[in-house]
Amino acid sequence: MVRNSSLSGFPEFLPQERIVELHILDIVRQQFELHGFSSLETRSVESLQDLSGKGETDKEIYLLQRLQNETTEKNLLNNQIGLHFDLTLPLARYVTENFGHLNFPFRRYQIQKVWRGERPQDGRAREFTQADIDIVGEENLSLKYDIELALVIIKTLQTLPIPPITLRINNRKLIEGFYRAIGIENILEVLQIVDKMEKIGSQKVFKLLQEKTNISAKQANFVLQLATIKSAGTEFVEQIEALQISHELIEEGLYELETFVKTTKEAANTKNKTLIVDLSIARGLDYYTGTVYETTMLGHENLGSICSGGRYANLAKTAKKTYPGVGMSIGITRLVSRILNTNLLTATRTVPTVVYIALYEDKQWVTAQKVANFLRNKNISVEVAVKAEKLGKQIRYADKRKIPFVWFINLDGTHEIKDIRTGKQQNVKIETWTPNEEDLKPQILATQQI
Amino acid sequence: MVRNSSLSGFPEFLPQERIVELHILDIVRQQFELHGFSSLETRSVESLQDLSGKGETDKEIYLLQRLQNETTEKNLLNNQIGLHFDLTLPLARYVTENFGHLNFPFRRYQIQKVWRGERPQDGRAREFTQADIDIVGEENLSLKYDIELALVIIKTLQTLPIPPITLRINNRKLIEGFYRAIGIENILEVLQIVDKMEKIGSQKVFKLLQEKTNISAKQANFVLQLATIKSAGTEFVEQIEALQISHELIEEGLYELETFVKTTKEAANTKNKTLIVDLSIARGLDYYTGTVYETTMLGHENLGSICSGGRYANLAKTAKKTYPGVGMSIGITRLVSRILNTNLLTATRTVPTVVYIALYEDKQWVTAQKVANFLRNKNISVEVAVKAEKLGKQIRYADKRKIPFVWFINLDGTHEIKDIRTGKQQNVKIETWTPNEEDLKPQILATQQI
């Protein structure tokens, strides 16, 4: 169980918890790179103008102000910079600034902190780490990339030591076409309410639609009929066609979603519930224009989505060109906090150290450093005792940290090693000794069936 | 040459530059872990109270303010939080909050962004990455740890593909004892001026000492005599004794510095100029109480220190205990910006991809994904073409990104691979093909003798 942080919304982990987080981050990075995505890191700040361009999210922005800057209230908002609240806006800005130096389609991943000033709650921090993956095209971007992104994310999340995931997809064209065809004008307003389906159920959604929008009961019924369609295969096509509503955007969306599902199922190792078409997925306020994605973790559906995203027809725009993009973002802090809070995973030790070199005499310290460096050159993490204290005390030092091996340099120049888990001690040669593969790094173990 | 960033002081790299930075970061992390240091990540913000406790640095703090928060000028400074300007203050705060959960001596490394609102210049950004390494004791901490830190840093920096470094050390006890013995009271004031020695020379330091402090010409002369002492071995001991000034802190400092130099030279692979005692190293305003470190890079002395730090007698304090610490911080952004600006290193490709799978027909895409996954499971980074365009065009896609291999799935089910650097094409089996070790990741090459 992660302790409460001393500043609400700004979580911090203990070293053994950080080992679990690093393990997750390392796998994510490795998978992204294995799929040919380049690392990118953007500055943490954007201009207020860019940050507030996205409408209602500007409530959550942290502005920066230099302590000694004598700024009046009035010009506080001019030329201001603030911390980014996601990694999509920075990507869009980066592309418009650097398009001449990039190869398109531009495949990048980005693992960074983001900040939102909203009220902290379970799964929602003020400072948190996101792992984003996007493909940005020049003028156009094939639907294949939407499918490829799903494949990358499914592979990545299935490689992590976490419960099975369900990737739920939808297509904005389909919803928008449907809403337009039945005469709904305030599409975003309706979408925001439909987005709450999972949390509050369809009856309450119906009620909210009646209270907060000007659509009729008949329209609201159609909206609900569409939003309750779910299918693991392509059954959704028939179910939607049965509603007998037609619009060219519906055709387009249906084609895209059907192609998506068919192709993904052929290409990926998708078990029963890995990929689901869910017509209630709306992604609220975000301006997606095609595919939208959300991901839940089995048994942790109440956590909300751990990986979301979608397609933007105009992710970035320059005077001459538009840059469409498709991307997804893994909520690392949300995921890792849940893993730690529910004890899903633990690290076998609190330090990277494999070998602790004990000292019989203080003057062995220099020799011990040389032995340590010899082992480090073989990629073995080593720490050297600082003082020739009683051996029992030196062994306890290692034991407390769960360092598996204590090394002794005998006064005759030979070496011995003790596995402090078994107590077994034996003679070794520094040239040939090497630990088992599984002792080389702290192991991350599942503490229950996942 | 790194382009100018669009926001002064907030540098951003291109993907191929980021590969160089990541390579540096990976080596640093690996070396820190091989020496038994645990990763730690703290929140990016601290309370203004903590941040401004350090005296004059509070000029540089970025305060955070929620955009929609209606805060009056007056209470703006109450209960405020700001971005951390280093990783030492967060460590001290973290230790006082979590001491019950940590094992001491606590060895941690921390690689994070820090922010300072000062005017940007060469080697000095407003947002930059630091890689810190510290050892924190409970009540006491042996001098051996000061020496061990030097060994870790020397090993780490010597493992990086950068020019040879010089680690310069001094001891605050020695200087403080000396100043006290000759009757100087405003020690920090004098230290700050002596700290400029390397930049402005001893004549100007003398002048400044006369103008800005109340010490006599005789005292200033003594200060300069001390500050100009440098030695690669333990010769400094005799040179200081020749000044015939005595104080118990001088004795202590001399003993520590002499032990440090002797032991480090015995334990480390220090070439001629790797370790130098330099009595002018003062580390200005920082409240170090013993060893102080600075590091320069051969041929890049004008960049200033790329790795600095020292010993704090009271890094952290709780009601019951004090926690001394010794640490150093590598200026990653400063180092990497210089490397990129002077073209010291370049990456052999702009993407992690090793193999690009071409398509003869669009419908091969699904098969190609399976081939790709097979190779990825062997740790080979693979990208799949999205469309069966003309082969020349597909090969150009790979060539532009310097992806070394293009893979063909023949319609009879056999496979061929083309090394696009040599043009050589051959039949391969997916089960057995594997690239040379040096093609597996982008190589980081030195573009000149370093």
Side-chain angles (χ1 to χ4, degrees), chain B residues 383-423:
Chain B
E383 194 184 327
V384 176
V386 82
K387 224 175 165 249
E389 295 178 297
K390 280 185 185 157
L391 278 191
K393 205 171 169 194
Q394 295 187 60
I395 291 169
R396 268 201 303 286
Y397 179 102
D399 200 25
K400 244 179 154 178
R401 291 159 176 80
K402 306 255 188 271
I403 297 171
F405 300 101
V406 180
W407 187 287
F408 303 95
I409 304 169
N410 294 324
L411 300 180
D412 64 5
T414 61
H415 301 260
E416 285 179 55
I417 197 165
K418 184 191 189 79
D419 183 327
I420 56 177
R421 296 159 301 187
T422 62

mmCIF file of all heavy atoms in Angstrom, chain B residues 383-423:
data_model
loop_
_atom_site.group_PDB
_atom_site.id
_atom_site.type_symbol
_atom_site.label_atom_id
_atom_site.label_comp_id
_atom_site.label_asym_id
_atom_site.label_seq_id
_atom_site.Cartn_x
_atom_site.Cartn_y
_atom_site.Cartn_z
ATOM 1 N N GLU B 383 9.765 -2.466 -38.374
ATOM 2 C CA GLU B 383 8.636 -1.681 -38.832
ATOM 3 C C GLU B 383 8.114 -2.328 -40.121
ATOM 4 O O GLU B 383 8.892 -2.878 -40.894
ATOM 5 C CB GLU B 383 9.089 -0.236 -39.079
ATOM 6 C CG GLU B 383 7.937 0.737 -39.238
ATOM 7 C CD GLU B 383 8.413 2.144 -39.587
ATOM 8 O OE1 GLU B 383 9.498 2.538 -39.121
ATOM 9 O OE2 GLU B 383 7.706 2.833 -40.326
ATOM 10 N N VAL B 384 6.808 -2.247 -40.338
ATOM 11 C CA VAL B 384 6.205 -2.854 -41.522
ATOM 12 C C VAL B 384 5.687 -1.748 -42.447
ATOM 13 O O VAL B 384 5.061 -0.799 -41.983
ATOM 14 C CB VAL B 384 5.042 -3.789 -41.107
ATOM 15 C CG1 VAL B 384 4.332 -4.346 -42.332
ATOM 16 C CG2 VAL B 384 5.533 -4.910 -40.220
ATOM 17 N N ALA B 385 5.947 -1.895 -43.739
ATOM 18 C CA ALA B 385 5.403 -0.932 -44.703
ATOM 19 C C ALA B 385 3.886 -0.948 -44.614
ATOM 20 O O ALA B 385 3.276 -1.964 -44.267
ATOM 21 C CB ALA B 385 5.841 -1.294 -46.119
ATOM 22 N N VAL B 386 3.269 0.174 -44.935
ATOM 23 C CA VAL B 386 1.836 0.246 -44.747
ATOM 24 C C VAL B 386 1.101 -0.050 -46.051
ATOM 25 O O VAL B 386 -0.075 -0.380 -46.059
ATOM 26 C CB VAL B 386 1.471 1.630 -44.150
ATOM 27 C CG1 VAL B 386 1.402 2.682 -45.219
ATOM 28 C CG2 VAL B 386 0.190 1.545 -43.348
ATOM 29 N N LYS B 387 1.853 0.011 -47.150
ATOM 30 C CA LYS B 387 1.224 -0.113 -48.455
ATOM 31 C C LYS B 387 2.212 -0.718 -49.451
ATOM 32 O O LYS B 387 3.410 -0.449 -49.372
ATOM 33 C CB LYS B 387 0.868 1.303 -48.951
ATOM 34 C CG LYS B 387 -0.504 1.413 -49.558
ATOM 35 C CD LYS B 387 -0.857 2.833 -49.914
ATOM 36 C CE LYS B 387 -2.037 2.792 -50.823
ATOM 37 N NZ LYS B 387 -1.953 3.135 -52.140
ATOM 38 N N ALA B 388 1.711 -1.504 -50.405
ATOM 39 C CA ALA B 388 2.586 -2.120 -51.405
ATOM 40 C C ALA B 388 2.921 -1.122 -52.513
ATOM 41 O O ALA B 388 2.540 -1.301 -53.672
ATOM 42 C CB ALA B 388 1.941 -3.380 -51.967
ATOM 43 N N GLU B 389 3.627 -0.061 -52.129
ATOM 44 C CA GLU B 389 4.054 0.907 -53.143
ATOM 45 C C GLU B 389 5.216 0.320 -53.943
ATOM 46 O O GLU B 389 5.723 -0.763 -53.635
ATOM 47 C CB GLU B 389 4.496 2.208 -52.450
ATOM 48 C CG GLU B 389 3.341 2.901 -51.733
ATOM 49 C CD GLU B 389 3.799 4.147 -51.006
ATOM 50 O OE1 GLU B 389 4.611 4.030 -50.082
ATOM 51 O OE2 GLU B 389 3.318 5.235 -51.363
ATOM 52 N N LYS B 390 5.646 1.061 -54.976
ATOM 53 C CA LYS B 390 6.809 0.602 -55.750
ATOM 54 C C LYS B 390 7.958 0.281 -54.811
ATOM 55 O O LYS B 390 8.219 1.013 -53.859
ATOM 56 C CB LYS B 390 7.260 1.709 -56.711
ATOM 57 C CG LYS B 390 6.392 1.765 -57.952
ATOM 58 C CD LYS B 390 6.948 2.779 -58.937
ATOM 59 C CE LYS B 390 6.009 2.908 -60.122
ATOM 60 N NZ LYS B 390 6.160 4.189 -60.832
ATOM 61 N N LEU B 391 8.684 -0.808 -55.098
ATOM 62 C CA LEU B 391 9.744 -1.235 -54.187
ATOM 63 C C LEU B 391 10.780 -0.141 -53.951
ATOM 64 O O LEU B 391 11.267 0.051 -52.841
ATOM 65 C CB LEU B 391 10.432 -2.494 -54.717
ATOM 66 C CG LEU B 391 9.706 -3.813 -54.405
ATOM 67 C CD1 LEU B 391 10.607 -4.989 -54.734
ATOM 68 C CD2 LEU B 391 9.258 -3.871 -52.945
ATOM 69 N N GLY B 392 11.113 0.583 -55.011
ATOM 70 C CA GLY B 392 12.081 1.672 -54.895
ATOM 71 C C GLY B 392 11.649 2.671 -53.835
ATOM 72 O O GLY B 392 12.457 3.138 -53.032
ATOM 73 N N LYS B 393 10.384 2.965 -53.821
ATOM 74 C CA LYS B 393 9.849 3.921 -52.849
ATOM 75 C C LYS B 393 9.918 3.352 -51.430
ATOM 76 O O LYS B 393 10.247 4.055 -50.475
ATOM 77 C CB LYS B 393 8.395 4.251 -53.208
ATOM 78 C CG LYS B 393 7.963 5.608 -52.687
ATOM 79 C CD LYS B 393 6.619 6.050 -53.194
ATOM 80 C CE LYS B 393 6.160 7.278 -52.410
ATOM 81 N NZ LYS B 393 4.750 7.589 -52.599
ATOM 82 N N GLN B 394 9.632 2.064 -51.301
ATOM 83 C CA GLN B 394 9.689 1.441 -49.979
ATOM 84 C C GLN B 394 11.128 1.405 -49.451
ATOM 85 O O GLN B 394 11.378 1.632 -48.269
ATOM 86 C CB GLN B 394 9.090 0.020 -50.027
ATOM 87 C CG GLN B 394 7.600 0.015 -50.356
ATOM 88 C CD GLN B 394 6.980 -1.381 -50.233
ATOM 89 O OE1 GLN B 394 7.004 -1.977 -49.173
ATOM 90 N NE2 GLN B 394 6.424 -1.894 -51.320
ATOM 91 N N ILE B 395 12.068 1.118 -50.375
ATOM 92 C CA ILE B 395 13.474 1.089 -49.953
ATOM 93 C C ILE B 395 13.954 2.487 -49.561
ATOM 94 O O ILE B 395 14.687 2.656 -48.592
ATOM 95 C CB ILE B 395 14.364 0.470 -51.067
ATOM 96 C CG1 ILE B 395 14.034 -1.026 -51.184
ATOM 97 C CG2 ILE B 395 15.848 0.667 -50.785
ATOM 98 C CD1 ILE B 395 14.618 -1.716 -52.397
ATOM 99 N N ARG B 396 13.474 3.494 -50.312
ATOM 100 C CA ARG B 396 13.859 4.865 -49.959
ATOM 101 C C ARG B 396 13.364 5.249 -48.561
ATOM 102 O O ARG B 396 14.025 5.982 -47.834
ATOM 103 C CB ARG B 396 13.314 5.860 -51.000
ATOM 104 C CG ARG B 396 14.290 6.146 -52.140
ATOM 105 C CD ARG B 396 13.984 7.446 -52.843
ATOM 106 N NE ARG B 396 12.624 7.521 -53.371
ATOM 107 C CZ ARG B 396 12.188 6.871 -54.458
ATOM 108 N NH1 ARG B 396 13.011 6.073 -55.137
ATOM 109 N NH2 ARG B 396 10.948 7.022 -54.868
ATOM 110 N N TYR B 397 12.180 4.742 -48.202
ATOM 111 C CA TYR B 397 11.636 5.007 -46.861
ATOM 112 C C TYR B 397 12.640 4.559 -45.799
ATOM 113 O O TYR B 397 12.945 5.290 -44.855
ATOM 114 C CB TYR B 397 10.310 4.253 -46.685
ATOM 115 C CG TYR B 397 9.641 4.417 -45.334
ATOM 116 C CD1 TYR B 397 8.557 5.291 -45.174
ATOM 117 C CD2 TYR B 397 10.077 3.711 -44.213
ATOM 118 C CE1 TYR B 397 7.939 5.447 -43.935
ATOM 119 C CE2 TYR B 397 9.462 3.870 -42.972
ATOM 120 C CZ TYR B 397 8.397 4.731 -42.842
ATOM 121 O OH TYR B 397 7.792 4.884 -41.614
ATOM 122 N N ALA B 398 13.168 3.349 -45.981
ATOM 123 C CA ALA B 398 14.142 2.812 -45.020
ATOM 124 C C ALA B 398 15.456 3.584 -45.092
ATOM 125 O O ALA B 398 16.043 3.940 -44.067
ATOM 126 C CB ALA B 398 14.376 1.331 -45.286
ATOM 127 N N ASP B 399 15.888 3.864 -46.313
ATOM 128 C CA ASP B 399 17.177 4.526 -46.529
ATOM 129 C C ASP B 399 17.220 5.906 -45.867
ATOM 130 O O ASP B 399 18.206 6.276 -45.231
ATOM 131 C CB ASP B 399 17.412 4.652 -48.037
ATOM 132 C CG ASP B 399 18.882 4.861 -48.347
ATOM 133 O OD1 ASP B 399 19.725 4.451 -47.519
ATOM 134 O OD2 ASP B 399 19.195 5.451 -49.397
ATOM 135 N N LYS B 400 16.148 6.643 -46.033
ATOM 136 C CA LYS B 400 16.047 7.990 -45.454
ATOM 137 C C LYS B 400 16.274 7.979 -43.946
ATOM 138 O O LYS B 400 16.799 8.931 -43.377
ATOM 139 C CB LYS B 400 14.624 8.509 -45.682
ATOM 140 C CG LYS B 400 14.515 9.736 -46.563
ATOM 141 C CD LYS B 400 13.058 10.086 -46.708
ATOM 142 C CE LYS B 400 12.819 11.539 -47.006
ATOM 143 N NZ LYS B 400 11.375 11.801 -47.191
ATOM 144 N N ARG B 401 15.813 6.927 -43.302
ATOM 145 C CA ARG B 401 15.923 6.810 -41.848
ATOM 146 C C ARG B 401 17.153 6.013 -41.437
ATOM 147 O O ARG B 401 17.377 5.749 -40.269
ATOM 148 C CB ARG B 401 14.667 6.111 -41.305
ATOM 149 C CG ARG B 401 13.412 6.956 -41.419
ATOM 150 C CD ARG B 401 12.151 6.114 -41.379
ATOM 151 N NE ARG B 401 10.946 6.912 -41.395
ATOM 152 C CZ ARG B 401 10.405 7.450 -42.490
ATOM 153 N NH1 ARG B 401 10.997 7.277 -43.678
ATOM 154 N NH2 ARG B 401 9.306 8.174 -42.412
ATOM 155 N N LYS B 402 17.946 5.579 -42.449
ATOM 156 C CA LYS B 402 19.154 4.756 -42.229
ATOM 157 C C LYS B 402 18.836 3.428 -41.530
ATOM 158 O O LYS B 402 19.671 2.876 -40.788
ATOM 159 C CB LYS B 402 20.217 5.532 -41.436
ATOM 160 C CG LYS B 402 20.570 6.883 -42.062
ATOM 161 C CD LYS B 402 21.904 6.840 -42.744
ATOM 162 C CE LYS B 402 22.351 8.214 -43.210
ATOM 163 N NZ LYS B 402 21.864 8.503 -44.591
ATOM 164 N N ILE B 403 17.635 2.910 -41.768
ATOM 165 C CA ILE B 403 17.305 1.560 -41.302
ATOM 166 C C ILE B 403 18.166 0.600 -42.116
ATOM 167 O O ILE B 403 18.136 0.645 -43.350
ATOM 168 C CB ILE B 403 15.803 1.254 -41.541
ATOM 169 C CG1 ILE B 403 14.941 2.225 -40.721
ATOM 170 C CG2 ILE B 403 15.469 -0.202 -41.214
ATOM 171 C CD1 ILE B 403 13.441 2.164 -41.046
ATOM 172 N N PRO B 404 18.978 -0.268 -41.472
ATOM 173 C CA PRO B 404 19.962 -1.027 -42.261
ATOM 174 C C PRO B 404 19.396 -2.121 -43.178
ATOM 175 O O PRO B 404 19.972 -2.392 -44.221
ATOM 176 C CB PRO B 404 20.889 -1.630 -41.204
ATOM 177 C CG PRO B 404 20.172 -1.529 -39.893
ATOM 178 C CD PRO B 404 19.211 -0.398 -40.015
ATOM 179 N N PHE B 405 18.278 -2.757 -42.787
ATOM 180 C CA PHE B 405 17.805 -3.918 -43.560
ATOM 181 C C PHE B 405 16.368 -3.768 -44.072
ATOM 182 O O PHE B 405 15.498 -3.313 -43.333
ATOM 183 C CB PHE B 405 17.868 -5.189 -42.713
ATOM 184 C CG PHE B 405 19.253 -5.528 -42.229
ATOM 185 C CD1 PHE B 405 19.640 -5.239 -40.929
ATOM 186 C CD2 PHE B 405 20.175 -6.128 -43.090
ATOM 187 C CE1 PHE B 405 20.920 -5.545 -40.482
ATOM 188 C CE2 PHE B 405 21.459 -6.435 -42.656
ATOM 189 C CZ PHE B 405 21.834 -6.137 -41.349
ATOM 190 N N VAL B 406 16.141 -4.169 -45.335
ATOM 191 C CA VAL B 406 14.780 -4.284 -45.855
ATOM 192 C C VAL B 406 14.484 -5.766 -46.047
ATOM 193 O O VAL B 406 15.307 -6.517 -46.569
ATOM 194 C CB VAL B 406 14.607 -3.525 -47.185
ATOM 195 C CG1 VAL B 406 13.171 -3.668 -47.695
ATOM 196 C CG2 VAL B 406 14.941 -2.049 -46.994
ATOM 197 N N TRP B 407 13.320 -6.186 -45.610
ATOM 198 C CA TRP B 407 12.930 -7.610 -45.588
ATOM 199 C C TRP B 407 11.829 -7.828 -46.619
ATOM 200 O O TRP B 407 10.908 -7.014 -46.696
ATOM 201 C CB TRP B 407 12.416 -7.944 -44.191
ATOM 202 C CG TRP B 407 12.121 -9.378 -43.915
ATOM 203 C CD1 TRP B 407 11.080 -10.107 -44.375
ATOM 204 C CD2 TRP B 407 12.881 -10.252 -43.068
ATOM 205 N NE1 TRP B 407 11.138 -11.370 -43.888
ATOM 206 C CE2 TRP B 407 12.227 -11.499 -43.076
ATOM 207 C CE3 TRP B 407 14.053 -10.108 -42.304
ATOM 208 C CZ2 TRP B 407 12.708 -12.589 -42.344
ATOM 209 C CZ3 TRP B 407 14.514 -11.185 -41.579
ATOM 210 C CH2 TRP B 407 13.857 -12.419 -41.608
ATOM 211 N N PHE B 408 11.953 -8.886 -47.404
ATOM 212 C CA PHE B 408 10.921 -9.202 -48.402
ATOM 213 C C PHE B 408 10.295 -10.554 -48.108
ATOM 214 O O PHE B 408 11.007 -11.528 -47.859
ATOM 215 C CB PHE B 408 11.532 -9.224 -49.806
ATOM 216 C CG PHE B 408 12.216 -7.938 -50.177
ATOM 217 C CD1 PHE B 408 13.592 -7.791 -49.991
ATOM 218 C CD2 PHE B 408 11.487 -6.867 -50.696
ATOM 219 C CE1 PHE B 408 14.225 -6.595 -50.310
ATOM 220 C CE2 PHE B 408 12.122 -5.674 -51.021
ATOM 221 C CZ PHE B 408 13.494 -5.537 -50.824
ATOM 222 N N ILE B 409 8.976 -10.604 -48.145
ATOM 223 C CA ILE B 409 8.273 -11.884 -48.007
ATOM 224 C C ILE B 409 7.842 -12.281 -49.418
ATOM 225 O O ILE B 409 6.937 -11.674 -50.002
ATOM 226 C CB ILE B 409 7.045 -11.744 -47.091
ATOM 227 C CG1 ILE B 409 7.459 -11.183 -45.718
ATOM 228 C CG2 ILE B 409 6.334 -13.091 -46.935
ATOM 229 C CD1 ILE B 409 6.295 -10.764 -44.846
ATOM 230 N N ASN B 410 8.549 -13.261 -49.981
ATOM 231 C CA ASN B 410 8.222 -13.669 -51.345
ATOM 232 C C ASN B 410 6.858 -14.343 -51.392
ATOM 233 O O ASN B 410 6.373 -14.861 -50.378
ATOM 234 C CB ASN B 410 9.301 -14.616 -51.875
ATOM 235 C CG ASN B 410 10.633 -13.888 -52.021
ATOM 236 O OD1 ASN B 410 10.656 -12.707 -52.390
ATOM 237 N ND2 ASN B 410 11.726 -14.580 -51.708
ATOM 238 N N LEU B 411 6.257 -14.314 -52.578
ATOM 239 C CA LEU B 411 4.900 -14.852 -52.674
ATOM 240 C C LEU B 411 4.879 -16.375 -52.501
ATOM 241 O O LEU B 411 3.851 -16.960 -52.183
ATOM 242 C CB LEU B 411 4.257 -14.420 -53.985
ATOM 243 C CG LEU B 411 4.157 -12.880 -54.122
ATOM 244 C CD1 LEU B 411 3.507 -12.481 -55.440
ATOM 245 C CD2 LEU B 411 3.423 -12.253 -52.947
ATOM 246 N N ASP B 412 6.080 -17.016 -52.650
ATOM 247 C CA ASP B 412 6.144 -18.455 -52.401
ATOM 248 C C ASP B 412 6.402 -18.764 -50.923
ATOM 249 O O ASP B 412 6.619 -19.920 -50.541
ATOM 250 C CB ASP B 412 7.226 -19.108 -53.280
ATOM 251 C CG ASP B 412 8.633 -18.602 -52.946
ATOM 252 O OD1 ASP B 412 8.779 -17.813 -51.978
ATOM 253 O OD2 ASP B 412 9.587 -18.985 -53.639
ATOM 254 N N GLY B 413 6.419 -17.731 -50.080
ATOM 255 C CA GLY B 413 6.570 -17.959 -48.640
ATOM 256 C C GLY B 413 8.007 -17.919 -48.144
ATOM 257 O O GLY B 413 8.251 -17.971 -46.945
ATOM 258 N N THR B 414 8.992 -17.817 -49.069
ATOM 259 C CA THR B 414 10.381 -17.675 -48.616
ATOM 260 C C THR B 414 10.655 -16.210 -48.283
ATOM 261 O O THR B 414 9.860 -15.334 -48.606
ATOM 262 C CB THR B 414 11.371 -18.144 -49.694
ATOM 263 O OG1 THR B 414 11.192 -17.322 -50.857
ATOM 264 C CG2 THR B 414 11.131 -19.611 -50.065
ATOM 265 N N HIS B 415 11.788 -15.981 -47.625
ATOM 266 C CA HIS B 415 12.124 -14.626 -47.195
ATOM 267 C C HIS B 415 13.484 -14.195 -47.738
ATOM 268 O O HIS B 415 14.389 -15.010 -47.861
ATOM 269 C CB HIS B 415 12.156 -14.555 -45.666
ATOM 270 C CG HIS B 415 10.855 -14.924 -45.023
ATOM 271 N ND1 HIS B 415 9.969 -13.993 -44.571
ATOM 272 C CD2 HIS B 415 10.288 -16.137 -44.782
ATOM 273 C CE1 HIS B 415 8.906 -14.620 -44.054
ATOM 274 N NE2 HIS B 415 9.076 -15.918 -44.170
ATOM 275 N N GLU B 416 13.595 -12.902 -48.063
ATOM 276 C CA GLU B 416 14.897 -12.359 -48.461
ATOM 277 C C GLU B 416 15.165 -11.099 -47.664
ATOM 278 O O GLU B 416 14.247 -10.405 -47.233
ATOM 279 C CB GLU B 416 14.901 -12.024 -49.957
ATOM 280 C CG GLU B 416 14.993 -13.264 -50.832
ATOM 281 C CD GLU B 416 14.971 -12.907 -52.315
ATOM 282 O OE1 GLU B 416 15.822 -12.096 -52.736
ATOM 283 O OE2 GLU B 416 14.095 -13.437 -53.023
ATOM 284 N N ILE B 417 16.450 -10.803 -47.482
ATOM 285 C CA ILE B 417 16.798 -9.578 -46.765
ATOM 286 C C ILE B 417 17.862 -8.836 -47.556
ATOM 287 O O ILE B 417 18.758 -9.434 -48.150
ATOM 288 C CB ILE B 417 17.258 -9.890 -45.320
ATOM 289 C CG1 ILE B 417 17.205 -8.622 -44.475
ATOM 290 C CG2 ILE B 417 18.626 -10.519 -45.285
ATOM 291 C CD1 ILE B 417 17.292 -8.899 -42.994
ATOM 292 N N LYS B 418 17.715 -7.505 -47.595
ATOM 293 C CA LYS B 418 18.673 -6.671 -48.321
ATOM 294 C C LYS B 418 19.341 -5.737 -47.317
ATOM 295 O O LYS B 418 18.648 -5.007 -46.578
ATOM 296 C CB LYS B 418 17.902 -5.847 -49.355
ATOM 297 C CG LYS B 418 18.760 -4.991 -50.275
ATOM 298 C CD LYS B 418 17.843 -4.028 -51.056
ATOM 299 C CE LYS B 418 18.588 -3.286 -52.147
ATOM 300 N NZ LYS B 418 18.798 -4.112 -53.354
ATOM 301 N N ASP B 419 20.667 -5.770 -47.289
ATOM 302 C CA ASP B 419 21.408 -4.782 -46.506
ATOM 303 C C ASP B 419 21.518 -3.540 -47.381
ATOM 304 O O ASP B 419 22.229 -3.540 -48.386
ATOM 305 C CB ASP B 419 22.788 -5.335 -46.141
ATOM 306 C CG ASP B 419 23.581 -4.383 -45.249
ATOM 307 O OD1 ASP B 419 23.423 -3.146 -45.394
ATOM 308 O OD2 ASP B 419 24.353 -4.868 -44.399
ATOM 309 N N ILE B 420 20.811 -2.466 -47.036
ATOM 310 C CA ILE B 420 20.769 -1.352 -47.991
ATOM 311 C C ILE B 420 22.026 -0.491 -47.948
ATOM 312 O O ILE B 420 22.168 0.432 -48.725
ATOM 313 C CB ILE B 420 19.498 -0.472 -47.878
ATOM 314 C CG1 ILE B 420 19.301 0.082 -46.488
ATOM 315 C CG2 ILE B 420 18.275 -1.236 -48.343
ATOM 316 C CD1 ILE B 420 18.086 1.008 -46.416
ATOM 317 N N ARG B 421 22.958 -0.835 -47.085
ATOM 318 C CA ARG B 421 24.240 -0.130 -47.115
ATOM 319 C C ARG B 421 25.147 -0.747 -48.161
ATOM 320 O O ARG B 421 25.918 -0.087 -48.842
ATOM 321 C CB ARG B 421 24.901 -0.178 -45.734
ATOM 322 C CG ARG B 421 24.080 0.558 -44.674
ATOM 323 C CD ARG B 421 24.424 0.109 -43.290
ATOM 324 N NE ARG B 421 24.198 -1.328 -43.112
ATOM 325 C CZ ARG B 421 24.296 -1.952 -41.949
ATOM 326 N NH1 ARG B 421 24.642 -1.277 -40.863
ATOM 327 N NH2 ARG B 421 24.070 -3.252 -41.851
ATOM 328 N N THR B 422 25.059 -2.095 -48.319
ATOM 329 C CA THR B 422 25.920 -2.774 -49.296
ATOM 330 C C THR B 422 25.141 -3.141 -50.557
ATOM 331 O O THR B 422 25.730 -3.432 -51.594
ATOM 332 C CB THR B 422 26.473 -4.091 -48.705
ATOM 333 O OG1 THR B 422 25.349 -4.955 -48.428
ATOM 334 C CG2 THR B 422 27.238 -3.842 -47.425
ATOM 335 N N GLY B 423 23.818 -3.135 -50.470
ATOM 336 C CA GLY B 423 23.009 -3.570 -51.602
ATOM 337 C C GLY B 423 22.877 -5.072 -51.715
ATOM 338 O O GLY B 423 22.146 -5.593 -52.542
#
